[in-house]
Amino acid sequence: MEPHLEELVKSAILGTEKYVPNYGLYGETLAQKITETGIDREDVFLRQCAAAFAYEAAGAVTSPLEGANQAFTGNVGQLANGALERLLETALREENRHVLAYLAFTAAQKQVSAPPYLVPDLLDQTLKYGDPSGHLTALSGAVGQWLSQFNTRWKRLFEAAAEEDFDTAPHAARVAQLEKLRATDPDAALGKLDGVIQQEAADARWDMLFCLRVGLNENDLPFLEKMTKDKSKKVKELAINLLTLQPMSTISQLNLAYLKAAMSIEEKRGLLSTKRQLVFSESAVPDPLLFQLGLEKISSEKGVDDHIHQIAQVLGQTHPDILAAQLGTDALTLIELVFQSKQIKTLKPALSKAAEQFGHPVWSKYLLAQGHNSLTMLSHLSQADQLAICGKWLDNPALVGMAVAQFTNHPDYPIIPHDIAVKIIGLIKNARTYFEAPTYTKLGFIFPDSVLPILTQMQKAAQKNDDHPSRHLAQNVGTILQCIQIRQQLQD
Amino acid sequence: MQFTDEQIRQLAPDPASAAAGKQLANPAKWVTKCSHELALWGDCQGSGKVPYSTVIDLSNLGFKCTCPSRKFPCKHGLGLLFLMAGNKAAFTVSDTLAPHVEDWLSKRNARQTAKEQTEAKPVDEKARQKRADQRTAKVDEGVEALGAWLKDQVRTGLVDAQQQAYQFSSKIAARMVDAQAPALASRLNAINVLDFYRDGWQKSLLKHLAYTYMIANAYRKINDLPEQWQEEIRTLVGWNTSKETLLQTGETLEDRWTVLCVQQENQDKLRVEKVWLWANGAQRFGLLLNFYAPGQIAPQTFLAGTTLAATLVYYPAVSPLRVLVKTIEGTIDTQWPVGASSLEQVLEHCRQQLALNPLQPQVPALLAEVSLRKVQDRWWLVDGQGRALPLRHFDAQALRILAATLGRPFHGMATWEDGQLSLCAYWADNRFFTV
């Protein structure tokens, strides 16, 4: 601020009865004239101020600006236009993140970026709602990366897992960096983890150790064995669990050796045929190291023998294919035999655990067919098998939510078959199931075009009534229709 | 003319209406949809048996719909316009207007003509003079009270002003409302929205007080001032020139007016619409101020980035800026103006305007080939010669401008206020943006 303005402001703050400024600093003649014609002290002061401010405005000048040109010099690439541009603009304005996610997916398929004027909103919403698929960040393109240099919050979206940042980054960012590095260079990630894990609290140690599930390999074994002696029970259990996933680990070897001794397949001759059955040996004893690593010796469940309890625990930690090979059979036959055994009730949870942990499609399919409902197991099946299972789940009110979640959470928005879509529409129509609002949006993106007439008719029928359920139904169906139309517009 | 989604959204009374309108931008929702150079019309199947009939006047933008919505324009009007913007081919092009459309358009034109005739009707001069005398007495008293209050403030000091932030001048502003000096009341209310927690608030406050004092002081000696300044000061106090008088005696300008920016703000219970216009022929700015009571429908809709063939009348002032619409012939091919290519020239224009009238709060200016740059956490506009002027905007707004222009040179329109530029609109890559 100019000295004469500082004088005036000082006087205004303190009050003219306490401090009268020197008025001659900006223009002596004018100041004198104002003073001479003033009615009183405050009249002079206020007019002097007005004159000084007018002087200031009249004396404004442009400044030379130092520094390099900050304009975008890269290539914006192929930009979204037409319907995609319009829909992106609308989704961003309405903060409709589910529609935005679909549009980002479509843009990724078409390999186009958002028009530059939409990028600030896009980056803001990416930060706000997260970007698990990475499509939103990708959608902002080269312009997003360039803009991020002007906004520290946006910068985080583009920051690579730089090594120098690892030591100072917040915990969540470190875990994310480790996971990312683990996918490309497992040994480097292990080295980084080994260097810092002991300085962390138990929960943080668990999070970091959990990163090793990505790219788990033999080189991790010494480190994991070291972690089985961790102070935290939770961390210790995770280390053991990761070791069981590696066939070459000591624990896996001991588990396998124990099961080989404890389980055998015998043939039992009947009158007309020979029947194979699984036999469990009571005399086989697990290696003492397994007990040290947490294997429970005694069953706490009534009617369950100790050796069956031990077998169940070890079975859940053993790869189905490796075990089947050791027993001279295949995985499907093995699970069938387990199901035929009298101990199936005790062993069932172990089978599910093994199917989920090892991502075993045969056991997963078998267990799902037997009524073991698990989204993890479902994810190990082929698309066709998943659809068949989910179609069955839709008949069971308790499983509808899971089935629909399986369809709507798919990152690639695959179109579901007409009959399954009709089944879901039936559920919506009969008000047997209420979904959360985003589900209707997601359903719109995966319903086939063939259901459009059914939905249109349903909406019209609902609009004729004025009760709350009908209005609710009309609104939800409207959302689905709108999303189908969005998809159609993008296909045009 | 071709509307963009952004422009249509600006017409919506609220975001919900825009979203609902967007949902109706679907050919399947419309039983009929026709276009003509003067109008768009269509029947939208709603929840009732009879479809809603929607008509849009394209020449002098206006909406009509048979739906019961109190919002204006309703979602059907917006939907029809969105549909036109996104899918022109969905409309049946008609050579003739449908009877109900023609009927509405002719009634609309007739109303406009009737309004002009009503405006020319003579008034009871004696009664008007009596009212004016009564008001003069009230305003005189109010201005005296304001002068005394301003002096009291600077005598005792503004050290406690921060503690009264947002209500520093509420009482004296209310007193000005009672004194029927609304412009002074608005000026005083503007003090209450100053950021008292930002560096430099003392200077801004003092500037407001000093300039308000100058107006009050000038009003007391109004008869000693030149005629133009008398009008200016009377306007700054809150005396309005009647529309009838203005239409008869004001400076009329028939031109191609580009709507540069439409700004909305709330003043007490009123919604104030500021429309910045540029006369392409006369190369002059015009500022249209519209005041709306809650629920009041705007008779005319202005879309930023469009150009109108219109006749406007300037309010008398030292540097005339405020305008009144006399007639609008319709929208014509868009023309976006280009300003001075050096910021020094822009500033010189602002200095000249302020020299003419230092009391005007903001001076509009056109910009050409300027770009945005951030230096030491502050945003600047830079011209081709590397000369810069500070920008008022914070990061969020500035980053939007930066993204849309990619930091490259663009044209625009800004106002010069308190030693900073405030960008109102800019156009780059054949796209028009408002801030």
Side-chain angles (χ1 to χ4, degrees), chain A residues 48-59:
Chain A
Q48 295 281 11
C49 288
F53 286 125
Y55 257 60
E56 189 199 25

Side-chain angles (χ1 to χ4, degrees), chain A residues 1 5 8-9 11-17 39-43 45-47 49-50 53-54 56-74 76 85-86 89-90 93-94 116-117 119-121 124 143 146-147 150-151 154 459 463 482 485, chain B residues 5-6 9 18-19 22-23 26 28-29 46-47 85-86 150-159 201-203 206-207 209-211 213-214 217 220 343-344 347 351 354 358 372-375 379-380 382 386-389 395 399-400 402-404 406-408 416 431 433:
Chain A
M1 208 189 309
L5 287 175
L8 295 173
V9 170
S11 178
I13 297 295
L14 295 173
T16 50
E17 60 187 5
I39 305 164
D40 52 37
R41 190 177 54 202
E42 284 69 39
D43 173 68
F45 176 75
L46 285 163
R47 286 163 61 210
C49 288
F53 286 125
E56 189 199 25
V61 288
T62 57
S63 326
L65 203 62
E66 299 297 323
N69 184 6
Q70 294 165 338
F72 177 74
T73 50
V76 291
E85 180 184 358
R86 276 203 315 278
E89 194 177 352
T90 308
R93 194 179 298 273
E94 291 168 2
Y117 70 96
V119 172
D121 278 341
D124 276 343
V143 173
W146 165 73
L147 270 181
F150 301 101
N151 182 319
W154 293 347
Q459 191 189 31
Q463 279 172 342
Q482 202 188 343
Q485 283 151 8
Chain B
D5 276 16
E6 174 61 34
R9 274 175 203 286
K22 192 77 192 158
Q23 286 196 22
N26 175 358
K29 305 268 182 190
S47 51
L150 289 163
K151 284 180 182 178
D152 280 350
Q153 299 308 309
V154 293
R155 181 169 45 248
T156 52
L158 303 170
V159 71
W201 66 267
Q202 300 92 336
K203 187 182 158 191
L206 183 58
K207 191 174 179 180
L209 297 179
Y211 277 9
Y213 182 78
M214 289 303 283
N217 209 22
R220 283 201 298 264
L343 284 178
E344 194 47 56
L347 198 54
R351 284 193 294 249
L354 287 170
L372 201 61
R373 207 178 289 176
K374 190 178 189 182
V375 176
W379 291 94
W380 299 78
V382 195
R387 306 296 298 182
L389 285 172
D395 260 6
L399 284 167
R400 278 169 204 279
L402 187 71
L406 293 172
R408 295 169 187 165
W416 177 251
R431 259 190 100 103
F433 299 92

Side-chain angles (χ1 to χ4, degrees), chain B residues 96-255:
Chain B
T96 53
L97 293 166
H100 72 287
V101 179
E102 196 171 2
D103 187 38
W104 179 63
L105 288 182
S106 58
K107 275 183 187 167
R108 205 168 139 78
N109 290 335
R111 263 201 303 274
Q112 182 65 30
T113 316
K115 196 179 153 195
E116 281 161 22
Q117 283 165 356
T118 311
E119 279 162 1
K121 201 171 72 178
V123 290
D124 182 349
E125 276 302 325
K126 204 175 166 186
R128 188 160 77 169
Q129 188 56 46
K130 192 181 170 190
R131 283 198 302 275
D133 289 345
Q134 284 171 343
R135 187 178 172 193
T136 305
K138 274 189 174 183
V139 174
D140 288 350
E141 265 181 50
V143 168
E144 280 302 322
L146 175 63
W149 180 82
L150 289 163
K151 284 180 182 178
D152 280 350
Q153 299 308 309
V154 293
R155 181 169 45 248
T156 52
L158 303 170
V159 71
D160 294 331
Q162 204 177 23
Q163 285 155 20
Q164 304 168 52
Y166 315 121
Q167 51 184 11
F168 175 80
S169 53
S170 305
K171 284 183 183 166
I172 189 70
R175 173 78 182 81
M176 289 305 108
V177 173
D178 292 344
Q180 293 187 293
L184 282 177
S186 296
R187 191 169 265 273
L188 289 162
N189 278 326
I191 293 176
N192 291 332
V193 295
L194 286 178
D195 189 350
F196 282 85
Y197 297 95
R198 196 179 181 189
D199 278 352
W201 66 267
Q202 300 92 336
K203 187 182 158 191
S204 300
L205 175 59
L206 183 58
K207 191 174 179 180
H208 269 87
L209 297 179
Y211 277 9
T212 309
Y213 182 78
M214 289 303 283
I215 296 167
N217 209 22
Y219 186 74
R220 283 201 298 264
K221 298 170 186 169
I222 197 157
N223 294 329
D224 301 338
L225 300 175
E227 198 180 332
Q228 268 186 327
W229 269 106
Q230 286 188 16
E231 287 289 350
E232 180 77 37
I233 295 298
R234 280 171 65 81
T235 306
L236 288 170
V237 166
W239 286 95
N240 287 333
T241 310
S242 77
K243 286 184 181 177
E244 302 84 39
T245 314
L246 190 64
L247 288 168
Q248 284 166 18
T249 60
E251 180 196 353
T252 304
L253 182 58
E254 185 182 351
D255 211 320

Side-chain angles (χ1 to χ4, degrees), chain B residues 59-118:
Chain B
S59 59
N60 185 7
L61 200 57
F63 297 82
K64 183 181 182 271
C65 186
T66 55
C67 77
S69 172
R70 288 183 187 180
K71 291 183 179 177
F72 189 83
C74 68
K75 62 178 180 179
H76 306 101
L78 293 167
L80 196 62
L81 215 48
F82 272 126
L83 184 60
M84 186 64 178
N87 189 0
K88 207 172 177 178
F91 284 78
T92 308
V93 180
S94 173
D95 293 336
T96 53
L97 293 166
H100 72 287
V101 179
E102 196 171 2
D103 187 38
W104 179 63
L105 288 182
S106 58
K107 275 183 187 167
R108 205 168 139 78
N109 290 335
R111 263 201 303 274
Q112 182 65 30
T113 316
K115 196 179 153 195
E116 281 161 22
Q117 283 165 356
T118 311

Side-chain angles (χ1 to χ4, degrees), chain A residues 26-185:
Chain A
Y26 68 94
E28 211 168 315
T29 319
L30 181 63
Q32 197 179 347
K33 200 173 174 184
I34 292 173
T35 309
E36 282 169 9
T37 55
I39 305 164
D40 52 37
R41 190 177 54 202
E42 284 69 39
D43 173 68
V44 170
F45 176 75
L46 285 163
R47 286 163 61 210
Q48 295 281 11
C49 288
F53 286 125
Y55 257 60
E56 189 199 25
V61 288
T62 57
S63 326
L65 203 62
E66 299 297 323
N69 184 6
Q70 294 165 338
F72 177 74
T73 50
N75 181 3
V76 291
Q78 196 77 16
L79 297 178
N81 55 17
L84 182 55
E85 180 184 358
R86 276 203 315 278
L87 291 165
L88 272 172
E89 194 177 352
T90 308
L92 285 167
R93 194 179 298 273
E94 291 168 2
E95 282 205 36
N96 193 336
R97 63 188 175 118
H98 302 290
V99 172
L100 184 62
Y102 179 74
L103 297 175
F105 164 75
T106 310
Q109 304 288 102
K110 295 184 174 182
Q111 296 187 322
V112 295
S113 307
Y117 70 96
L118 295 178
V119 172
D121 278 341
L122 179 61
L123 293 176
D124 276 343
Q125 289 182 33
T126 306
L127 273 176
K128 190 170 173 183
Y129 299 116
D131 184 21
S133 67
H135 289 325
L136 290 175
T137 313
L139 182 60
S140 71
V143 173
Q145 188 133 25
W146 165 73
L147 270 181
S148 69
Q149 66 180 301
F150 301 101
N151 182 319
T152 46
R153 292 187 317 122
W154 293 347
K155 209 170 185 175
R156 267 186 262 145
L157 291 170
F158 296 92
E159 265 173 358
E163 199 165 330
E164 60 269 26
D165 292 333
F166 184 77
D167 294 333
T168 51
H171 175 66
R174 296 174 94 188
V175 170
Q177 282 182 32
L178 272 175
E179 281 199 353
K180 208 170 172 184
L181 185 60
R182 188 76 186 159
T184 52
D185 189 350

